[in-house]
Amino acid sequence: DEGPALSAREIECLYWTARGKDCASAADIIQLSEHTVRDYLKSARRKLGCVTIAQTIHEATKQRLI
């Protein structure tokens, strides 16, 4: 079972969040709006079946997605 497929942007947003960047900083780095970064994080959270972003980062790390 491969698990849920995250998009490249979802992974990128999780990557920067896992490194301590807030949505505004991550948005500046990836050149997206803060709102869009929040949407990608929310989508990744749902796909991984998580309640919080911290849990999402843990699950993504465990699955070697980030």
Side-chain angles (χ1 to χ4, degrees):
D1 186 20
E2 295 178 22
L6 297 183
S7 72
R9 285 294 198 183
E10 290 167 339
I11 291 170
E12 194 172 16
C13 291
L14 282 172
Y15 173 86
W16 288 110
T17 303
R19 273 136 195 84
K21 302 297 182 189
D22 61 11
C23 288
S25 297
D28 285 342
I29 293 167
I30 6 186
Q31 298 181 347
L32 295 173
S33 74
E34 185 176 347
H35 179 76
T36 301
V37 169
R38 288 182 194 279
D39 282 347
Y40 279 126
L41 291 173
K42 184 187 222 180
S43 176
R45 182 178 56 79
R46 286 182 181 159
K47 286 181 181 180
L48 293 175
C50 299
V51 176
T52 66
I53 292 301
Q55 183 184 12
T56 307
I57 291 168
H58 172 74
E59 190 61 32
T61 301
K62 191 169 84 173
Q63 292 185 27
R64 297 179 183 211
L65 300 171
I66 57 171

